[in-house]
PDB file of all heavy atoms in Angstrom:
ATOM      1  N   HIS X 350     -47.331 -43.527  18.388  1.00 97.00           N
ATOM      2  CA  HIS X 350     -46.256 -44.527  18.353  1.00 97.00           C
ATOM      3  C   HIS X 350     -45.133 -44.223  19.337  1.00 97.00           C
ATOM      4  O   HIS X 350     -44.137 -44.969  19.371  1.00 97.00           O
ATOM      5  CB  HIS X 350     -45.705 -44.639  16.934  1.00 97.00           C
ATOM      6  CG  HIS X 350     -46.722 -45.074  15.926  1.00 97.00           C
ATOM      7  ND1 HIS X 350     -47.282 -46.338  15.932  1.00 97.00           N
ATOM      8  CD2 HIS X 350     -47.320 -44.411  14.904  1.00 97.00           C
ATOM      9  CE1 HIS X 350     -48.155 -46.434  14.946  1.00 97.00           C
ATOM     10  NE2 HIS X 350     -48.208 -45.281  14.306  1.00 97.00           N
ATOM     11  N   LEU X 351     -45.272 -43.163  20.126  1.00 97.00           N
ATOM     12  CA  LEU X 351     -44.241 -42.864  21.113  1.00 97.00           C
ATOM     13  C   LEU X 351     -44.090 -44.012  22.100  1.00 97.00           C
ATOM     14  O   LEU X 351     -45.079 -44.649  22.481  1.00 97.00           O
ATOM     15  CB  LEU X 351     -44.591 -41.571  21.865  1.00 97.00           C
ATOM     16  CG  LEU X 351     -44.522 -40.271  21.061  1.00 97.00           C
ATOM     17  CD1 LEU X 351     -45.063 -39.111  21.890  1.00 97.00           C
ATOM     18  CD2 LEU X 351     -43.083 -39.985  20.617  1.00 97.00           C
ATOM     19  N   ALA X 352     -42.888 -44.275  22.504  1.00 96.00           N
ATOM     20  CA  ALA X 352     -42.572 -45.344  23.468  1.00 96.00           C
ATOM     21  C   ALA X 352     -43.082 -46.709  23.005  1.00 96.00           C
ATOM     22  O   ALA X 352     -43.385 -47.579  23.816  1.00 96.00           O
ATOM     23  CB  ALA X 352     -43.158 -45.011  24.847  1.00 96.00           C
ATOM     24  N   GLY X 353     -43.189 -46.879  21.684  1.00 96.00           N
ATOM     25  CA  GLY X 353     -43.625 -48.171  21.141  1.00 96.00           C
ATOM     26  C   GLY X 353     -45.127 -48.382  21.155  1.00 96.00           C
ATOM     27  O   GLY X 353     -45.598 -49.518  21.040  1.00 96.00           O
ATOM     28  N   GLY X 354     -45.889 -47.305  21.285  1.00 96.00           N
ATOM     29  CA  GLY X 354     -47.346 -47.426  21.354  1.00 96.00           C
ATOM     30  C   GLY X 354     -47.985 -47.844  20.039  1.00 96.00           C
ATOM     31  O   GLY X 354     -47.438 -47.600  18.964  1.00 96.00           O
ATOM     32  N   GLU X 355     -49.135 -48.483  20.148  1.00 95.00           N
ATOM     33  CA  GLU X 355     -49.932 -48.879  18.983  1.00 95.00           C
ATOM     34  C   GLU X 355     -51.403 -48.646  19.316  1.00 95.00           C
ATOM     35  O   GLU X 355     -51.834 -48.858  20.445  1.00 95.00           O
ATOM     36  CB  GLU X 355     -49.719 -50.356  18.638  1.00 95.00           C
ATOM     37  CG  GLU X 355     -48.323 -50.714  18.156  1.00 95.00           C
ATOM     38  CD  GLU X 355     -48.004 -50.177  16.772  1.00 95.00           C
ATOM     39  OE1 GLU X 355     -48.970 -49.844  16.029  1.00 95.00           O
ATOM     40  OE2 GLU X 355     -46.811 -50.079  16.435  1.00 95.00           O
ATOM     41  N   THR X 356     -52.172 -48.194  18.334  1.00 95.00           N
ATOM     42  CA  THR X 356     -53.608 -48.025  18.518  1.00 95.00           C
ATOM     43  C   THR X 356     -54.352 -48.703  17.386  1.00 95.00           C
ATOM     44  O   THR X 356     -53.869 -48.738  16.251  1.00 95.00           O
ATOM     45  CB  THR X 356     -54.000 -46.538  18.573  1.00 95.00           C
ATOM     46  OG1 THR X 356     -55.406 -46.417  18.784  1.00 95.00           O
ATOM     47  CG2 THR X 356     -53.634 -45.806  17.288  1.00 95.00           C
ATOM     48  N   GLU X 357     -55.517 -49.260  17.699  1.00 95.00           N
ATOM     49  CA  GLU X 357     -56.297 -49.931  16.659  1.00 95.00           C
ATOM     50  C   GLU X 357     -57.493 -49.114  16.207  1.00 95.00           C
ATOM     51  O   GLU X 357     -58.265 -49.540  15.341  1.00 95.00           O
ATOM     52  CB  GLU X 357     -56.786 -51.303  17.145  1.00 95.00           C
ATOM     53  CG  GLU X 357     -57.733 -51.265  18.334  1.00 95.00           C
ATOM     54  CD  GLU X 357     -58.379 -52.616  18.601  1.00 95.00           C
ATOM     55  OE1 GLU X 357     -59.085 -53.120  17.708  1.00 95.00           O
ATOM     56  OE2 GLU X 357     -58.161 -53.160  19.698  1.00 95.00           O
ATOM     57  N   VAL X 358     -57.666 -47.896  16.759  1.00 96.00           N
ATOM     58  CA  VAL X 358     -58.858 -47.130  16.415  1.00 96.00           C
ATOM     59  C   VAL X 358     -58.928 -46.832  14.921  1.00 96.00           C
ATOM     60  O   VAL X 358     -60.020 -46.807  14.337  1.00 96.00           O
ATOM     61  CB  VAL X 358     -58.926 -45.821  17.232  1.00 96.00           C
ATOM     62  CG1 VAL X 358     -57.788 -44.872  16.889  1.00 96.00           C
ATOM     63  CG2 VAL X 358     -60.270 -45.139  17.032  1.00 96.00           C
ATOM     64  N   THR X 359     -57.766 -46.641  14.279  1.00 94.00           N
ATOM     65  CA  THR X 359     -57.784 -46.330  12.845  1.00 94.00           C
ATOM     66  C   THR X 359     -58.291 -47.500  12.004  1.00 94.00           C
ATOM     67  O   THR X 359     -58.635 -47.319  10.834  1.00 94.00           O
ATOM     68  CB  THR X 359     -56.383 -45.917  12.370  1.00 94.00           C
ATOM     69  OG1 THR X 359     -55.430 -46.883  12.807  1.00 94.00           O
ATOM     70  CG2 THR X 359     -56.008 -44.556  12.932  1.00 94.00           C
TER      71      THR X 359
END
Side-chain angles (χ1 to χ4, degrees):
H350 299 293
L351 291 173
E355 294 289 341
T356 181
E357 63 169 299
V358 65
T359 50

